[in-house]
Amino acid sequence: MSEETKISEQAAGQKFDWRALLNPKWVVRNIPFFLFLALLAVAYIFNGHYADKLARKISATEKHINELEFEYKTIKSEVIFRSKASELAKAVEPLGLKELTRPPVILGDTSNSKN
C-alpha cells in the first residue's frame, strides 16, 4: 500500500521516481511482455524486408514481361510482313515457283455429266 500512497502523492504534482519502477521484481514480472514486444519488433522487421524483396521481384517480373511483349510485337510484325503476297513470291522464286498470271482451269468429270 505504500506504493499506492507514493503514486497518489506523485499525482499531486511531485516528480515521478523511475528508479522505484525499475526494480528487479518489476522487471522479472514483466518479462513476458518484453518478450512479446521483442517478438513484435522481429515480425515488423521481417515484414519490411519481405515487402522490399517482393517489390524488387515484382519489378523484375514487370521488366521481363515488357521485354517479352516487345519481342512478341516484333515477331508478329515480321510474320505479317513475310506473309504478304509480294514477299511470298520473292521467297519461293529460288524454288522455281512463279505467281499465276492466268486464272486456274476448272477440271470437270465428263463421264457423269448430263447432256
Side-chain angles (χ1 to χ4, degrees), residues 7-90:
I7 293 173
S8 63
E9 288 175 9
Q10 292 169 1
Q14 296 177 350
K15 277 190 155 183
F16 185 71
D17 186 21
W18 288 102
R19 282 182 252 159
L21 188 65
L22 294 176
N23 63 16
K25 198 177 202 181
W26 182 85
V27 172
V28 170
R29 194 175 49 204
N30 288 310
I31 283 179
F33 180 69
F34 293 140
L35 291 175
F36 174 71
L37 289 179
L39 181 70
L40 281 181
V42 169
Y44 185 74
I45 292 169
F46 170 77
N47 189 30
H49 287 295
Y50 181 73
D52 289 341
K53 181 180 174 183
L54 192 60
R56 283 193 303 269
K57 192 173 183 180
I58 289 171
S59 176
T61 304
E62 283 178 350
K63 262 187 209 176
H64 186 66
I65 287 172
N66 284 336
E67 289 175 7
L68 290 175
E69 184 180 355
F70 295 145
E71 184 179 347
Y72 165 75
K73 288 179 181 179
T74 303
I75 291 173
K76 182 179 176 183
S77 66
E78 188 176 319
V79 166
I80 289 172
F81 177 74
R82 288 180 185 244
S83 65
K84 292 191 320 188
S86 59
E87 290 299 316
L88 283 174
K90 288 179 191 176

Side-chain angles (χ1 to χ4, degrees), residues 92-111:
V92 296
E93 191 175 354
L95 300 173
L97 299 174
K98 295 180 185 175
E99 197 172 350
L100 291 177
T101 55
R102 299 181 291 155
V105 177
I106 298 175
L107 300 176
D109 189 11
T110 57
S111 63

